[in-house]
Amino acid sequence: RSLPVPKLHCLVRAMAATASEFLLPSARPAKLGKPITFGPPAGEPAKAAILWLHGFGDQPDGWAQLLRPLRNAASPSWKWLHLRAPRLAQPCYKNTALPAWGQFFSTQCLHAGAKDHEDPDESGKYAASVLAVHAEIARLEREHNLTSQQVVVAGFSQGAAVALESVLTHPQRLAGCVALSGWLPRR
């Protein structure tokens, strides 16, 4: 039996209010690289923002180029931030540091039941990335006078997993979440 939408919304908000303590108990925000940013024109206020998180081993540059038609079709008053993941040691590649939002333990395709899908994030890498996204949202609120309800968090693959977790654990309602080829972390 499903809950009525208002009750479900209250339940999700109550869970998010304690998510920082429950899901992310000892993590500190990850140190992200310099993002690629677009719009609005100098001197004009932003009316909304989109945070984009690239996938594992990738950089934001390709996505910034690929999403250009979407940016061109959107309002010029929207601020776009293509975040840059930190370089993290990856156990699946003999601890080689690669741009990533968390750690991967296998080079196999990710699927339900696989170690990477079921990862409880004992290292706190995913939690640190989620907190870094929360910090970017707070910065947008502070520096651009936006509310959380004017911010969309989007991502691809591992970036989509962090986008989903970021939106679900944020203490305020966000405008939305876009997850392309991602998964909902089990934390």
Side-chain angles (χ1 to χ4, degrees):
R1 179 176 151 217
S2 63
L3 294 171
V5 173
K7 287 185 181 181
L8 179 61
H9 173 72
C10 292
L11 176 64
V12 169
R13 287 296 114 213
M15 290 169 53
T18 59
S20 292
E21 298 86 33
F22 180 70
L23 296 174
L24 318 168
S26 62
R28 290 187 168 9
K31 184 168 173 49
L32 304 181
K34 185 177 180 182
I36 297 174
T37 62
F38 299 94
E44 292 185 27
K47 293 189 178 167
I50 298 180
L51 299 178
W52 181 265
L53 287 71
H54 60 78
F56 174 77
D58 201 359
Q59 299 287 331
D61 310 71
W63 283 102
Q65 183 176 349
L66 185 68
L67 294 174
R68 183 183 310 155
L70 189 57
R71 281 195 314 276
N72 291 341
S75 170
S77 64
W78 289 5
K79 182 154 190 80
W80 294 71
L81 282 95
H82 294 264
L83 301 181
R84 189 176 303 271
R87 295 181 66 80
L88 301 175
Q90 295 301 319
C92 67
Y93 290 110
K94 299 179 183 175
N95 288 322
T96 300
L98 296 169
W101 305 103
Q103 291 182 311
F104 274 138
F105 298 94
S106 172
T107 58
Q108 300 296 313
C109 183
L110 187 80
H111 58 84
K115 183 174 182 176
D116 290 320
H117 184 272
E118 308 301 320
D119 179 20
D121 192 30
E122 291 170 357
S123 69
K125 303 296 187 197
Y126 284 101
S129 292
V130 167
L131 290 175
V133 172
H134 288 180
E136 285 295 326
I137 294 167
R139 190 180 63 74
L140 286 166
E141 291 172 332
R142 190 175 57 253
E143 294 179 10
H144 297 281
N145 216 21
L146 294 173
T147 68
S148 59
Q149 292 185 16
Q150 294 170 295
V151 178
V152 171
V153 182
F156 172 74
S157 187
Q158 192 182 52
V162 172
L164 284 165
E165 190 166 354
S166 297
V167 169
L168 290 172
T169 60
H170 194 271
Q172 275 84 41
R173 182 189 311 186
L174 298 172
C177 183
V178 178
L180 303 177
S181 297
W183 67 97
L184 182 60
R186 296 188 57 122
R187 290 173 279 292

